[in-house]
Amino acid sequence: MPVADINHTSIHYRTDGERHLPCLVFSNSLGTDLGMWDAQAAALVSRFHVLRYDTRGHGRSASPPGPYTLEQLGGDVLALLDHLDIERAHFCGLSMGGVTGQWLGVHAPRRLIKLVLANTAARVGTAEGWQSRAAAVRAHGLGGIADGAASRWFGAGFAEREAPTVARMTDALRAQDPAGYAACCEALAAADMRGALHAVPAPTLIIAGSLDPVTTVADAEAMRAEIGDSRVATLPASHISNVESPARFTRALLDFLA
Ligand SMILES: O=C(O)CC1=CCC(=O)O1
């Protein structure tokens, strides 16, 4: 269980694949952990040095006191790359991980080779919505959020077909640290990359899910309109599209990164 002691916290990470290959960093969504990328890591390990980490407040990373900021989430990635002596990497983040990716695209372009923004938006939800979710989780824990997660994360067909996968992920959400989850909600409450994305120079793939109720195809198109060298790939999936449609997601990544 490698852990990097960086930025006054500790970040749990995992590397797979040979060190001389180009590095590909994966960043998880709210309420998940680095295990969400198992299918992509297995499929891509022969082509990339795959680096996955648990966003602060999630999985086996520490939960320092919040609220967190988007600068901290992005700064953790830069410090982790420094810790591992990795100069430049591809970066793929989903939802909250994609917001972190947008911040890196604007503020640390020299560290990026290519950028993949999956099921995300320049502004995810509303400040009020995230603040009230953070308050509810601080007061009552993650049970209520976990009860509704499957319908936010996955299409109905997938949830029926792949019930064990869905149960594994929602059980993991139930087991997350409520304080860390709430602190990340507060980061999302303040995060707004609208109007800043024109400063992203990295070639960027934006992956959308045609069934995603959280971050929509219109959100993806809005990012594409701002980022100069960008394109959109739409998958027949809901929010956590890399789990719902792993083969298509991995194919889109490979086609773009190759
Ligand atoms: O509400 C959810 O669980 C979906 C989500 C929003 C931001 C994120 O990372 O996941």
PDB file of all heavy atoms in Angstrom, residues 28-31 94-97 119 124 130 133 145 149 152-153 173 181 188 214-215 239-240, ligand 1:
ATOM      1  N   ASN A  28      -9.962   9.597  -9.516  1.00  0.00           N
ATOM      2  CA  ASN A  28     -11.307   9.047  -9.249  1.00  0.00           C
ATOM      3  C   ASN A  28     -12.382  10.112  -9.074  1.00  0.00           C
ATOM      4  O   ASN A  28     -12.111  11.292  -8.837  1.00  0.00           O
ATOM      5  CB  ASN A  28     -11.274   8.148  -7.998  1.00  0.00           C
ATOM      6  CG  ASN A  28     -10.868   8.873  -6.745  1.00  0.00           C
ATOM      7  OD1 ASN A  28      -9.708   9.196  -6.558  1.00  0.00           O
ATOM      8  ND2 ASN A  28     -11.825   9.155  -5.873  1.00  0.00           N
ATOM      9  N   SER A  29     -13.626   9.646  -9.147  1.00  0.00           N
ATOM     10  CA  SER A  29     -14.791  10.515  -8.938  1.00  0.00           C
ATOM     11  C   SER A  29     -15.150  10.562  -7.451  1.00  0.00           C
ATOM     12  O   SER A  29     -14.637   9.775  -6.643  1.00  0.00           O
ATOM     13  CB  SER A  29     -15.978  10.003  -9.753  1.00  0.00           C
ATOM     14  OG  SER A  29     -16.330   8.700  -9.331  1.00  0.00           O
ATOM     15  N   LEU A  30     -16.058  11.460  -7.115  1.00  0.00           N
ATOM     16  CA  LEU A  30     -16.509  11.630  -5.732  1.00  0.00           C
ATOM     17  C   LEU A  30     -17.102  10.312  -5.207  1.00  0.00           C
ATOM     18  O   LEU A  30     -17.980   9.722  -5.841  1.00  0.00           O
ATOM     19  CB  LEU A  30     -17.582  12.733  -5.706  1.00  0.00           C
ATOM     20  CG  LEU A  30     -18.125  13.144  -4.351  1.00  0.00           C
ATOM     21  CD1 LEU A  30     -17.056  13.874  -3.532  1.00  0.00           C
ATOM     22  CD2 LEU A  30     -19.360  14.028  -4.525  1.00  0.00           C
ATOM     23  N   GLY A  31     -16.631   9.881  -4.044  1.00  0.00           N
ATOM     24  CA  GLY A  31     -17.218   8.709  -3.392  1.00  0.00           C
ATOM     25  C   GLY A  31     -16.687   7.377  -3.893  1.00  0.00           C
ATOM     26  O   GLY A  31     -17.208   6.330  -3.505  1.00  0.00           O
ATOM     27  N   LEU A  94     -12.261  11.436 -14.013  1.00  0.00           N
ATOM     28  CA  LEU A  94     -13.705  11.318 -14.245  1.00  0.00           C
ATOM     29  C   LEU A  94     -14.467  12.122 -13.191  1.00  0.00           C
ATOM     30  O   LEU A  94     -14.203  11.986 -11.990  1.00  0.00           O
ATOM     31  CB  LEU A  94     -14.121   9.847 -14.223  1.00  0.00           C
ATOM     32  CG  LEU A  94     -15.562   9.559 -14.676  1.00  0.00           C
ATOM     33  CD1 LEU A  94     -15.636   8.286 -15.537  1.00  0.00           C
ATOM     34  CD2 LEU A  94     -16.519   9.452 -13.501  1.00  0.00           C
ATOM     35  N   SER A  95     -15.372  12.946 -13.637  1.00  0.00           N
ATOM     36  CA  SER A  95     -16.244  13.763 -12.780  1.00  0.00           C
ATOM     37  C   SER A  95     -15.395  14.671 -11.899  1.00  0.00           C
ATOM     38  O   SER A  95     -14.712  15.557 -12.416  1.00  0.00           O
ATOM     39  CB  SER A  95     -17.202  12.870 -11.995  1.00  0.00           C
ATOM     40  OG  SER A  95     -18.282  13.645 -11.519  1.00  0.00           O
ATOM     41  N   MET A  96     -15.357  14.467 -10.566  1.00  0.00           N
ATOM     42  CA  MET A  96     -14.460  15.288  -9.742  1.00  0.00           C
ATOM     43  C   MET A  96     -13.020  15.178 -10.252  1.00  0.00           C
ATOM     44  O   MET A  96     -12.291  16.190 -10.305  1.00  0.00           O
ATOM     45  CB  MET A  96     -14.541  14.830  -8.279  1.00  0.00           C
ATOM     46  CG  MET A  96     -13.582  15.527  -7.344  1.00  0.00           C
ATOM     47  SD  MET A  96     -13.780  14.988  -5.625  1.00  0.00           S
ATOM     48  CE  MET A  96     -13.136  13.311  -5.689  1.00  0.00           C
ATOM     49  N   GLY A  97     -12.610  13.980 -10.654  1.00  0.00           N
ATOM     50  CA  GLY A  97     -11.261  13.805 -11.208  1.00  0.00           C
ATOM     51  C   GLY A  97     -11.071  14.616 -12.481  1.00  0.00           C
ATOM     52  O   GLY A  97      -9.971  15.103 -12.764  1.00  0.00           O
ATOM     53  N   ASN A 119     -16.896  12.507 -18.228  1.00  0.00           N
ATOM     54  CA  ASN A 119     -18.115  12.716 -17.439  1.00  0.00           C
ATOM     55  C   ASN A 119     -17.913  13.831 -16.419  1.00  0.00           C
ATOM     56  O   ASN A 119     -18.051  13.632 -15.211  1.00  0.00           O
ATOM     57  CB  ASN A 119     -18.527  11.404 -16.753  1.00  0.00           C
ATOM     58  CG  ASN A 119     -18.784  10.315 -17.775  1.00  0.00           C
ATOM     59  OD1 ASN A 119     -17.848   9.664 -18.215  1.00  0.00           O
ATOM     60  ND2 ASN A 119     -20.008  10.187 -18.202  1.00  0.00           N
ATOM     61  N   VAL A 124     -19.736  21.680 -12.125  1.00  0.00           N
ATOM     62  CA  VAL A 124     -20.547  20.494 -11.825  1.00  0.00           C
ATOM     63  C   VAL A 124     -21.566  20.879 -10.755  1.00  0.00           C
ATOM     64  O   VAL A 124     -21.200  21.288  -9.651  1.00  0.00           O
ATOM     65  CB  VAL A 124     -19.667  19.325 -11.320  1.00  0.00           C
ATOM     66  CG1 VAL A 124     -20.539  18.104 -11.033  1.00  0.00           C
ATOM     67  CG2 VAL A 124     -18.585  18.976 -12.328  1.00  0.00           C
ATOM     68  N   TRP A 130     -23.935  21.498  -3.517  1.00  0.00           N
ATOM     69  CA  TRP A 130     -22.775  20.840  -2.894  1.00  0.00           C
ATOM     70  C   TRP A 130     -22.665  21.197  -1.423  1.00  0.00           C
ATOM     71  O   TRP A 130     -22.317  20.353  -0.595  1.00  0.00           O
ATOM     72  CB  TRP A 130     -21.485  21.200  -3.634  1.00  0.00           C
ATOM     73  CG  TRP A 130     -21.415  20.560  -4.987  1.00  0.00           C
ATOM     74  CD1 TRP A 130     -21.359  21.179  -6.194  1.00  0.00           C
ATOM     75  CD2 TRP A 130     -21.433  19.147  -5.269  1.00  0.00           C
ATOM     76  NE1 TRP A 130     -21.349  20.255  -7.210  1.00  0.00           N
ATOM     77  CE2 TRP A 130     -21.379  19.004  -6.668  1.00  0.00           C
ATOM     78  CE3 TRP A 130     -21.491  18.002  -4.468  1.00  0.00           C
ATOM     79  CZ2 TRP A 130     -21.387  17.745  -7.288  1.00  0.00           C
ATOM     80  CZ3 TRP A 130     -21.492  16.755  -5.082  1.00  0.00           C
ATOM     81  CH2 TRP A 130     -21.442  16.645  -6.474  1.00  0.00           C
ATOM     82  N   ARG A 133     -25.225  19.158   0.359  1.00  0.00           N
ATOM     83  CA  ARG A 133     -24.825  17.743   0.453  1.00  0.00           C
ATOM     84  C   ARG A 133     -23.730  17.578   1.516  1.00  0.00           C
ATOM     85  O   ARG A 133     -23.757  16.641   2.310  1.00  0.00           O
ATOM     86  CB  ARG A 133     -24.357  17.208  -0.896  1.00  0.00           C
ATOM     87  CG  ARG A 133     -24.294  15.678  -0.857  1.00  0.00           C
ATOM     88  CD  ARG A 133     -23.653  15.025  -2.073  1.00  0.00           C
ATOM     89  NE  ARG A 133     -24.389  15.161  -3.305  1.00  0.00           N
ATOM     90  CZ  ARG A 133     -24.143  14.427  -4.385  1.00  0.00           C
ATOM     91  NH1 ARG A 133     -23.211  13.488  -4.338  1.00  0.00           N
ATOM     92  NH2 ARG A 133     -24.806  14.614  -5.506  1.00  0.00           N
ATOM     93  N   ILE A 145     -26.713   9.140   0.851  1.00  0.00           N
ATOM     94  CA  ILE A 145     -26.039   9.379  -0.434  1.00  0.00           C
ATOM     95  C   ILE A 145     -25.785   8.058  -1.147  1.00  0.00           C
ATOM     96  O   ILE A 145     -25.983   7.931  -2.365  1.00  0.00           O
ATOM     97  CB  ILE A 145     -24.696  10.116  -0.176  1.00  0.00           C
ATOM     98  CG1 ILE A 145     -24.946  11.529   0.355  1.00  0.00           C
ATOM     99  CG2 ILE A 145     -23.824  10.152  -1.423  1.00  0.00           C
ATOM    100  CD1 ILE A 145     -25.641  12.440  -0.618  1.00  0.00           C
ATOM    101  N   ALA A 149     -26.944   6.448  -4.941  1.00  0.00           N
ATOM    102  CA  ALA A 149     -25.781   6.548  -5.841  1.00  0.00           C
ATOM    103  C   ALA A 149     -25.980   5.778  -7.140  1.00  0.00           C
ATOM    104  O   ALA A 149     -25.616   6.271  -8.217  1.00  0.00           O
ATOM    105  CB  ALA A 149     -24.525   6.057  -5.126  1.00  0.00           C
ATOM    106  N   ARG A 152     -27.600   7.698  -9.846  1.00  0.00           N
ATOM    107  CA  ARG A 152     -26.804   8.810 -10.387  1.00  0.00           C
ATOM    108  C   ARG A 152     -25.653   8.287 -11.234  1.00  0.00           C
ATOM    109  O   ARG A 152     -25.232   8.916 -12.193  1.00  0.00           O
ATOM    110  CB  ARG A 152     -26.213   9.670  -9.252  1.00  0.00           C
ATOM    111  CG  ARG A 152     -27.180  10.475  -8.453  1.00  0.00           C
ATOM    112  CD  ARG A 152     -26.444  11.518  -7.570  1.00  0.00           C
ATOM    113  NE  ARG A 152     -25.433  10.929  -6.688  1.00  0.00           N
ATOM    114  CZ  ARG A 152     -25.674  10.348  -5.525  1.00  0.00           C
ATOM    115  NH1 ARG A 152     -26.913  10.269  -5.098  1.00  0.00           N
ATOM    116  NH2 ARG A 152     -24.697   9.840  -4.774  1.00  0.00           N
ATOM    117  N   TRP A 153     -25.125   7.136 -10.866  1.00  0.00           N
ATOM    118  CA  TRP A 153     -23.882   6.646 -11.470  1.00  0.00           C
ATOM    119  C   TRP A 153     -24.089   5.787 -12.713  1.00  0.00           C
ATOM    120  O   TRP A 153     -23.258   5.815 -13.612  1.00  0.00           O
ATOM    121  CB  TRP A 153     -23.114   5.803 -10.455  1.00  0.00           C
ATOM    122  CG  TRP A 153     -22.468   6.575  -9.333  1.00  0.00           C
ATOM    123  CD1 TRP A 153     -22.411   7.936  -9.177  1.00  0.00           C
ATOM    124  CD2 TRP A 153     -21.768   6.019  -8.212  1.00  0.00           C
ATOM    125  NE1 TRP A 153     -21.733   8.246  -8.029  1.00  0.00           N
ATOM    126  CE2 TRP A 153     -21.321   7.099  -7.417  1.00  0.00           C
ATOM    127  CE3 TRP A 153     -21.490   4.721  -7.792  1.00  0.00           C
ATOM    128  CZ2 TRP A 153     -20.597   6.915  -6.238  1.00  0.00           C
ATOM    129  CZ3 TRP A 153     -20.765   4.531  -6.618  1.00  0.00           C
ATOM    130  CH2 TRP A 153     -20.327   5.617  -5.847  1.00  0.00           C
ATOM    131  N   LEU A 173     -18.743   3.195  -1.153  1.00  0.00           N
ATOM    132  CA  LEU A 173     -19.139   4.580  -0.842  1.00  0.00           C
ATOM    133  C   LEU A 173     -19.616   4.691   0.607  1.00  0.00           C
ATOM    134  O   LEU A 173     -19.235   5.614   1.333  1.00  0.00           O
ATOM    135  CB  LEU A 173     -20.226   5.044  -1.822  1.00  0.00           C
ATOM    136  CG  LEU A 173     -20.917   6.364  -1.509  1.00  0.00           C
ATOM    137  CD1 LEU A 173     -19.926   7.516  -1.371  1.00  0.00           C
ATOM    138  CD2 LEU A 173     -21.939   6.699  -2.601  1.00  0.00           C
ATOM    139  N   TYR A 181     -15.395  13.027   2.335  1.00  0.00           N
ATOM    140  CA  TYR A 181     -16.367  13.185   1.241  1.00  0.00           C
ATOM    141  C   TYR A 181     -16.948  14.603   1.269  1.00  0.00           C
ATOM    142  O   TYR A 181     -17.018  15.282   0.235  1.00  0.00           O
ATOM    143  CB  TYR A 181     -17.476  12.135   1.407  1.00  0.00           C
ATOM    144  CG  TYR A 181     -18.533  12.147   0.333  1.00  0.00           C
ATOM    145  CD1 TYR A 181     -18.497  11.218  -0.708  1.00  0.00           C
ATOM    146  CD2 TYR A 181     -19.590  13.049   0.354  1.00  0.00           C
ATOM    147  CE1 TYR A 181     -19.475  11.210  -1.701  1.00  0.00           C
ATOM    148  CE2 TYR A 181     -20.563  13.060  -0.619  1.00  0.00           C
ATOM    149  CZ  TYR A 181     -20.502  12.128  -1.648  1.00  0.00           C
ATOM    150  OH  TYR A 181     -21.477  12.128  -2.616  1.00  0.00           O
ATOM    151  N   LEU A 188     -15.943  21.093  -4.696  1.00  0.00           N
ATOM    152  CA  LEU A 188     -16.774  21.198  -5.905  1.00  0.00           C
ATOM    153  C   LEU A 188     -17.699  22.416  -5.832  1.00  0.00           C
ATOM    154  O   LEU A 188     -18.026  23.017  -6.863  1.00  0.00           O
ATOM    155  CB  LEU A 188     -17.596  19.920  -6.103  1.00  0.00           C
ATOM    156  CG  LEU A 188     -16.776  18.692  -6.547  1.00  0.00           C
ATOM    157  CD1 LEU A 188     -17.620  17.419  -6.488  1.00  0.00           C
ATOM    158  CD2 LEU A 188     -16.227  18.890  -7.957  1.00  0.00           C
ATOM    159  N   VAL A 214     -25.811  13.630 -14.576  1.00  0.00           N
ATOM    160  CA  VAL A 214     -25.051  14.515 -13.679  1.00  0.00           C
ATOM    161  C   VAL A 214     -24.261  15.529 -14.492  1.00  0.00           C
ATOM    162  O   VAL A 214     -24.345  16.742 -14.275  1.00  0.00           O
ATOM    163  CB  VAL A 214     -24.091  13.688 -12.778  1.00  0.00           C
ATOM    164  CG1 VAL A 214     -23.314  14.612 -11.848  1.00  0.00           C
ATOM    165  CG2 VAL A 214     -24.848  12.638 -11.990  1.00  0.00           C
ATOM    166  N   THR A 215     -23.439  15.032 -15.408  1.00  0.00           N
ATOM    167  CA  THR A 215     -22.665  15.900 -16.305  1.00  0.00           C
ATOM    168  C   THR A 215     -23.052  15.475 -17.726  1.00  0.00           C
ATOM    169  O   THR A 215     -22.806  14.347 -18.128  1.00  0.00           O
ATOM    170  CB  THR A 215     -21.150  15.733 -16.053  1.00  0.00           C
ATOM    171  OG1 THR A 215     -20.814  14.342 -16.085  1.00  0.00           O
ATOM    172  CG2 THR A 215     -20.763  16.298 -14.705  1.00  0.00           C
ATOM    173  N   HIS A 239     -23.115   7.989 -15.792  1.00  0.00           N
ATOM    174  CA  HIS A 239     -22.058   8.859 -15.255  1.00  0.00           C
ATOM    175  C   HIS A 239     -20.697   8.163 -15.121  1.00  0.00           C
ATOM    176  O   HIS A 239     -19.682   8.707 -15.541  1.00  0.00           O
ATOM    177  CB  HIS A 239     -22.518   9.423 -13.909  1.00  0.00           C
ATOM    178  CG  HIS A 239     -21.634  10.511 -13.388  1.00  0.00           C
ATOM    179  ND1 HIS A 239     -21.367  11.650 -14.104  1.00  0.00           N
ATOM    180  CD2 HIS A 239     -20.939  10.626 -12.220  1.00  0.00           C
ATOM    181  CE1 HIS A 239     -20.557  12.431 -13.404  1.00  0.00           C
ATOM    182  NE2 HIS A 239     -20.287  11.823 -12.256  1.00  0.00           N
ATOM    183  N   ILE A 240     -20.671   7.001 -14.517  1.00  0.00           N
ATOM    184  CA  ILE A 240     -19.365   6.346 -14.349  1.00  0.00           C
ATOM    185  C   ILE A 240     -19.157   5.461 -15.581  1.00  0.00           C
ATOM    186  O   ILE A 240     -19.240   4.227 -15.540  1.00  0.00           O
ATOM    187  CB  ILE A 240     -19.269   5.612 -12.996  1.00  0.00           C
ATOM    188  CG1 ILE A 240     -19.577   6.609 -11.852  1.00  0.00           C
ATOM    189  CG2 ILE A 240     -17.876   5.024 -12.811  1.00  0.00           C
ATOM    190  CD1 ILE A 240     -19.181   6.184 -10.461  1.00  0.00           C
TER     191      ILE A 240
HETATM  192  O1  LIG B   1     -23.276  12.789  -7.203  1.00  0.00           O
HETATM  193  C1  LIG B   1     -22.495  11.893  -7.552  1.00  0.00           C
HETATM  194  O2  LIG B   1     -22.241  10.933  -6.826  1.00  0.00           O
HETATM  195  C2  LIG B   1     -21.834  12.012  -8.885  1.00  0.00           C
HETATM  196  C3  LIG B   1     -20.661  12.883  -8.871  1.00  0.00           C
HETATM  197  C4  LIG B   1     -20.622  14.242  -8.903  1.00  0.00           C
HETATM  198  C5  LIG B   1     -19.238  14.693  -8.869  1.00  0.00           C
HETATM  199  C6  LIG B   1     -18.535  13.416  -8.856  1.00  0.00           C
HETATM  200  O3  LIG B   1     -17.316  13.226  -8.873  1.00  0.00           O
HETATM  201  O4  LIG B   1     -19.409  12.385  -8.852  1.00  0.00           O
END
